[in-house]
Amino acid sequence: MKDGKIEFRIGCILTGIIAGLAVISLFYTPYDINEMNTAVRMQAPSLQHLFGTDNFGRDIFSRAIVGARFTLTVAISTVLSCTLISSALGLISGYVGGIIDEVIMRVVDAINSFPGILIALIIVTVMEQSNYTIVIALCIMFIPSFTRMVRTGTLQYKNTDFVKMARIFGVSGIRLALVHVFPNIFPLLLSSVIVGLSNAILAESSMSYLGLGIQPPAPSWGRMLSEAQSIIFTAPWCALAPGMMIVLTIVGLNCIGEGVRKRFL
Amino acid sequence: MRYLIRKTLVLLATMFTITLLTFAAFHIIPGDPAMLILGTEASPEKLEQLRHTLGTDLPLLVQYRNWVAGLLSGNPGTSIRYSMPVADLVGSRLPVTVLLGLMTIILVIAASIPLGVFAARKKDTVVEQFINFFTMLGISFPGFFLSILFMWIFGLVLHLFSPGNYVSYKDNFGGFMQFMFFPALSIAIPEIAILTKYIRTAMIDELGRGYVRTARGVGNSVNGILYRHVLKNAIVSVIPLIGMMIGSIFSGSIIVEQVYGIPGIGRLLISSVTSRDFPLTQTLVLYVAMVIVVTNYIVDILIQLIDPRIRLSSE
């Protein structure tokens, strides 16, 4: 088998299952996610409740798949917006160079000297709490590494013969950057987008765990874990279900990333 | 020497940018901090009073100058929530986080070097696949989930430590270290996974060199070559990574302190964020960023001392 194909397949299957569940939760959940049924408090997993119930009698499976939807939405919108912004910044920085490059890179460096979660914390502190705050926070957290990567790629291709040729033929600067340089950076960008997705999920669930991510009543994996922490001894499935969902998603995405990296780079 | 001066200048410039960015984040982007703290229904007099205590009614430039002057003289302001000088709050929590961080670093280094060497040695075997699998798992476990699992398995089921019963390092240092072992391990595991992977790659690169074949040819044992020659060279390319790890270890410690209820800097930071205690958050953020920048500076200088070749290639 070709290098990286096994990883790619395992990754696709794992991520596919989670994403599929998230899509299904749009149309159907076995129980209402906020329905409290005191008769079935803290029940162990069974056929009625696949992942059991929590201390309010809410069905964990339903909550976990709806949580998947919210977490994945945050992760995808973060990575997409971040990729767009960083591609623009990186291309400008690398292609134009000079003082613009210097300014962009210094700001990126300064942001980079804060540990990721700290940036997210700052943004969450200074902005009004809403479900979108976390997207902006995570986006700013990922911009430095993406911008740097696009810039390095741009610098690398800027002086290749085919770009020089195109320039001789009178191709405009913008077209050169977008049509001739950018597509070559794309494979590199693709694998970091996938790694970015898994980092975004990790960061989002950490922030939700701290109560600073997606706001209630929307369920998210991180907050489910923090709610389950106090009852871990009597009802471990409350913590295991969302926790394992996170782990499986991350493993899946990392596998895809590894597969793409081995294939293209 | 020239390198040292240049690095120091860059360090000072970065520090300046960081104070500027932190200040900007807390003063320009949001609306009115007084409004955010008291809510939109607060009375104008109360808002005015809080603005005055916060100093936000002064011009921005004066605020910035006051803040930086305060930082330099060791008086970075007063926390709103605790009504205590920020310096005192930080001082009492700093040792806890530093000890936790040190323990984590020791665990990371002690585990990943042997694992990395072992993985490199078993290249192209089933064992390597196993190690790859475990490093993949290690990266994929979020710190807080790992901590909760540890609390459940080692704390509640196996009774190796008692979760929630934090022992102060002042009262009982042994008990403190025992309590801190699992938090440190929770932060360390993802880092161990990453470092193992890097050490393995560096070792494999190094194993392809001529001197390894020569050393083997003269009759050195495989283990001897691995630890005495190859590791020394491989570790040099890994040291910058250890510098960068300081940041992610701190990030990990913010969350893990929250899970285990350890009264350190991370916990203080989170409680300042949730209670919208701006002066405290601002100073803590700056403080942490400074520590990280300075550590990276020291690591850069150390790398120079260990391997001057890097300077030549980077200049």
Short mmCIF file of all heavy atoms in Angstrom, two decimals, chain B residues 150-177:
data_model
loop_
_atom_site.label_atom_id
_atom_site.label_comp_id
_atom_site.label_asym_id
_atom_site.label_seq_id
_atom_site.Cartn_x
_atom_site.Cartn_y
_atom_site.Cartn_z
N PHE B 150 -7.04 10.59 35.44
CA PHE B 150 -6.07 10.27 36.49
C PHE B 150 -6.72 10.37 37.86
O PHE B 150 -6.49 9.54 38.74
CB PHE B 150 -4.87 11.23 36.44
CG PHE B 150 -3.89 10.88 35.36
CD1 PHE B 150 -2.84 11.73 35.07
CD2 PHE B 150 -4.00 9.70 34.65
CE1 PHE B 150 -1.94 11.41 34.08
CE2 PHE B 150 -3.10 9.38 33.67
CZ PHE B 150 -2.07 10.24 33.37
N MET B 151 -7.56 11.43 38.03
CA MET B 151 -8.21 11.60 39.32
C MET B 151 -9.10 10.41 39.62
O MET B 151 -9.17 9.95 40.76
CB MET B 151 -9.04 12.88 39.30
CG MET B 151 -8.35 14.01 39.98
SD MET B 151 -9.02 15.56 39.47
CE MET B 151 -10.47 15.60 40.38
N TRP B 152 -9.74 9.94 38.58
CA TRP B 152 -10.66 8.82 38.77
C TRP B 152 -9.89 7.53 39.04
O TRP B 152 -10.10 6.84 40.04
CB TRP B 152 -11.54 8.68 37.51
CG TRP B 152 -12.46 7.50 37.53
CD1 TRP B 152 -13.21 7.08 38.59
CD2 TRP B 152 -12.73 6.61 36.45
NE1 TRP B 152 -13.94 5.97 38.22
CE2 TRP B 152 -13.66 5.65 36.92
CE3 TRP B 152 -12.29 6.53 35.13
CZ2 TRP B 152 -14.14 4.63 36.12
CZ3 TRP B 152 -12.77 5.52 34.33
CH2 TRP B 152 -13.69 4.57 34.82
N ILE B 153 -8.94 7.21 38.13
CA ILE B 153 -8.25 5.93 38.22
C ILE B 153 -7.28 5.89 39.41
O ILE B 153 -7.37 5.02 40.27
CB ILE B 153 -7.51 5.62 36.91
CG1 ILE B 153 -8.52 5.51 35.77
CG2 ILE B 153 -6.70 4.33 37.04
CD1 ILE B 153 -7.91 5.43 34.41
N PHE B 154 -6.36 6.89 39.46
CA PHE B 154 -5.33 6.83 40.50
C PHE B 154 -5.81 7.39 41.83
O PHE B 154 -5.33 7.00 42.88
CB PHE B 154 -4.08 7.58 40.05
CG PHE B 154 -3.45 6.97 38.84
CD1 PHE B 154 -3.46 7.65 37.63
CD2 PHE B 154 -2.88 5.71 38.90
CE1 PHE B 154 -2.89 7.08 36.51
CE2 PHE B 154 -2.33 5.13 37.78
CZ PHE B 154 -2.33 5.82 36.58
N GLY B 155 -6.74 8.33 41.77
CA GLY B 155 -7.20 8.95 43.01
C GLY B 155 -8.30 8.16 43.67
O GLY B 155 -8.18 7.74 44.82
N LEU B 156 -9.40 7.94 42.93
CA LEU B 156 -10.58 7.38 43.57
C LEU B 156 -10.60 5.86 43.57
O LEU B 156 -11.08 5.24 44.50
CB LEU B 156 -11.84 7.92 42.90
CG LEU B 156 -11.99 9.44 43.01
CD1 LEU B 156 -13.09 9.95 42.11
CD2 LEU B 156 -12.27 9.83 44.45
N VAL B 157 -10.03 5.25 42.51
CA VAL B 157 -10.08 3.79 42.45
C VAL B 157 -8.86 3.18 43.14
O VAL B 157 -8.99 2.28 43.97
CB VAL B 157 -10.19 3.31 40.99
CG1 VAL B 157 -10.18 1.80 40.93
CG2 VAL B 157 -11.45 3.87 40.34
N LEU B 158 -7.66 3.68 42.82
CA LEU B 158 -6.46 3.06 43.38
C LEU B 158 -5.95 3.75 44.65
O LEU B 158 -5.01 3.27 45.29
CB LEU B 158 -5.34 3.06 42.32
CG LEU B 158 -5.66 2.27 41.04
CD1 LEU B 158 -4.54 2.45 40.04
CD2 LEU B 158 -5.83 0.80 41.36
N HIS B 159 -6.52 4.91 45.00
CA HIS B 159 -6.14 5.64 46.21
C HIS B 159 -4.65 5.97 46.29
O HIS B 159 -4.04 5.87 47.36
CB HIS B 159 -6.55 4.86 47.47
CG HIS B 159 -8.02 4.69 47.57
ND1 HIS B 159 -8.88 5.73 47.85
CD2 HIS B 159 -8.80 3.60 47.38
CE1 HIS B 159 -10.12 5.29 47.84
NE2 HIS B 159 -10.10 4.00 47.54
N LEU B 160 -4.05 6.35 45.17
CA LEU B 160 -2.63 6.73 45.22
C LEU B 160 -2.43 8.16 45.69
O LEU B 160 -1.38 8.53 46.17
CB LEU B 160 -1.98 6.54 43.84
CG LEU B 160 -1.85 5.08 43.39
CD1 LEU B 160 -1.22 4.99 42.02
CD2 LEU B 160 -1.01 4.30 44.39
N PHE B 161 -3.44 8.99 45.50
CA PHE B 161 -3.42 10.35 46.07
C PHE B 161 -4.86 10.76 46.30
O PHE B 161 -5.77 10.11 45.80
CB PHE B 161 -2.69 11.33 45.15
CG PHE B 161 -3.48 11.75 43.93
CD1 PHE B 161 -3.92 13.07 43.78
CD2 PHE B 161 -3.77 10.85 42.94
CE1 PHE B 161 -4.65 13.45 42.66
CE2 PHE B 161 -4.48 11.22 41.82
CZ PHE B 161 -4.92 12.52 41.69
N SER B 162 -5.07 11.80 47.11
CA SER B 162 -6.47 12.18 47.37
C SER B 162 -6.79 13.47 46.63
O SER B 162 -6.31 14.53 47.00
CB SER B 162 -6.71 12.33 48.86
OG SER B 162 -5.67 13.07 49.43
N PRO B 163 -7.58 13.37 45.57
CA PRO B 163 -7.90 14.55 44.76
C PRO B 163 -8.66 15.58 45.58
O PRO B 163 -9.48 15.21 46.42
CB PRO B 163 -8.81 14.00 43.64
CG PRO B 163 -8.77 12.54 43.76
CD PRO B 163 -8.29 12.18 45.11
N GLY B 164 -8.35 16.83 45.36
CA GLY B 164 -9.07 17.88 46.07
C GLY B 164 -8.39 18.27 47.37
O GLY B 164 -8.54 19.39 47.83
N ASN B 165 -7.63 17.37 47.97
CA ASN B 165 -6.94 17.71 49.21
C ASN B 165 -5.55 18.25 48.91
O ASN B 165 -4.55 17.56 49.06
CB ASN B 165 -6.81 16.49 50.13
CG ASN B 165 -8.13 16.15 50.74
OD1 ASN B 165 -9.04 16.96 50.77
ND2 ASN B 165 -8.24 14.92 51.21
N TYR B 166 -5.52 19.51 48.51
CA TYR B 166 -4.23 20.11 48.16
C TYR B 166 -3.39 20.30 49.40
O TYR B 166 -3.88 20.76 50.44
CB TYR B 166 -4.47 21.45 47.47
CG TYR B 166 -3.24 22.28 47.31
CD1 TYR B 166 -2.29 21.95 46.35
CD2 TYR B 166 -3.01 23.38 48.13
CE1 TYR B 166 -1.16 22.70 46.22
CE2 TYR B 166 -1.88 24.14 47.98
CZ TYR B 166 -0.95 23.81 47.03
OH TYR B 166 0.19 24.55 46.90
N VAL B 167 -2.11 19.90 49.33
CA VAL B 167 -1.20 20.05 50.46
C VAL B 167 -0.27 21.21 50.13
O VAL B 167 0.36 21.22 49.08
CB VAL B 167 -0.35 18.78 50.65
CG1 VAL B 167 0.41 18.86 51.95
CG2 VAL B 167 -1.23 17.55 50.60
N SER B 168 -0.20 22.21 50.99
CA SER B 168 0.67 23.35 50.72
C SER B 168 2.13 22.94 50.83
O SER B 168 2.50 22.11 51.67
CB SER B 168 0.38 24.48 51.69
OG SER B 168 1.35 25.47 51.52
N TYR B 169 2.96 23.53 49.96
CA TYR B 169 4.39 23.17 50.00
C TYR B 169 5.06 23.68 51.26
O TYR B 169 6.12 23.22 51.66
CB TYR B 169 5.12 23.71 48.76
CG TYR B 169 5.14 25.21 48.68
CD1 TYR B 169 6.27 25.93 49.08
CD2 TYR B 169 4.04 25.94 48.22
CE1 TYR B 169 6.29 27.30 49.02
CE2 TYR B 169 4.06 27.31 48.16
CZ TYR B 169 5.18 27.98 48.56
OH TYR B 169 5.21 29.34 48.51
N LYS B 170 4.40 24.64 51.93
CA LYS B 170 5.00 25.18 53.15
C LYS B 170 4.80 24.21 54.31
O LYS B 170 5.66 24.04 55.16
CB LYS B 170 4.36 26.52 53.50
CG LYS B 170 4.90 27.66 52.66
CD LYS B 170 4.15 28.95 52.99
CE LYS B 170 4.32 29.96 51.88
NZ LYS B 170 3.13 30.79 51.72
N ASP B 171 3.62 23.57 54.35
CA ASP B 171 3.32 22.67 55.46
C ASP B 171 4.06 21.34 55.35
O ASP B 171 4.65 20.86 56.31
CB ASP B 171 1.81 22.38 55.53
CG ASP B 171 1.02 23.67 55.64
OD1 ASP B 171 1.63 24.68 56.04
OD2 ASP B 171 -0.18 23.66 55.31
N ASN B 172 4.01 20.77 54.14
CA ASN B 172 4.51 19.41 54.02
C ASN B 172 5.05 19.23 52.61
O ASN B 172 4.29 19.00 51.67
CB ASN B 172 3.33 18.45 54.29
CG ASN B 172 3.72 17.01 54.12
OD1 ASN B 172 4.85 16.71 53.70
ND2 ASN B 172 2.82 16.11 54.43
N PHE B 173 6.36 19.38 52.44
CA PHE B 173 6.91 19.39 51.10
C PHE B 173 6.77 18.03 50.42
O PHE B 173 6.42 17.94 49.25
CB PHE B 173 8.38 19.81 51.12
CG PHE B 173 8.89 20.21 49.77
CD1 PHE B 173 8.55 21.44 49.23
CD2 PHE B 173 9.67 19.35 49.03
CE1 PHE B 173 8.98 21.81 47.98
CE2 PHE B 173 10.12 19.71 47.77
CZ PHE B 173 9.77 20.95 47.25
N GLY B 174 6.97 16.96 51.20
CA GLY B 174 6.84 15.61 50.64
C GLY B 174 5.43 15.36 50.14
O GLY B 174 5.22 14.89 49.03
N GLY B 175 4.45 15.73 50.97
CA GLY B 175 3.05 15.54 50.61
C GLY B 175 2.70 16.34 49.38
O GLY B 175 1.96 15.89 48.51
N PHE B 176 3.27 17.56 49.30
CA PHE B 176 3.03 18.44 48.16
C PHE B 176 3.53 17.78 46.88
O PHE B 176 2.83 17.71 45.88
CB PHE B 176 3.76 19.76 48.42
CG PHE B 176 3.79 20.70 47.24
CD1 PHE B 176 2.68 21.46 46.91
CD2 PHE B 176 4.93 20.83 46.48
CE1 PHE B 176 2.72 22.34 45.85
CE2 PHE B 176 4.97 21.70 45.41
CZ PHE B 176 3.86 22.46 45.09
N MET B 177 4.77 17.27 46.94
CA MET B 177 5.34 16.64 45.75
C MET B 177 4.51 15.43 45.33
O MET B 177 4.28 15.19 44.15
CB MET B 177 6.79 16.19 46.02
CG MET B 177 7.76 17.33 46.14
SD MET B 177 7.52 18.61 44.91
CE MET B 177 8.95 18.38 43.91
#
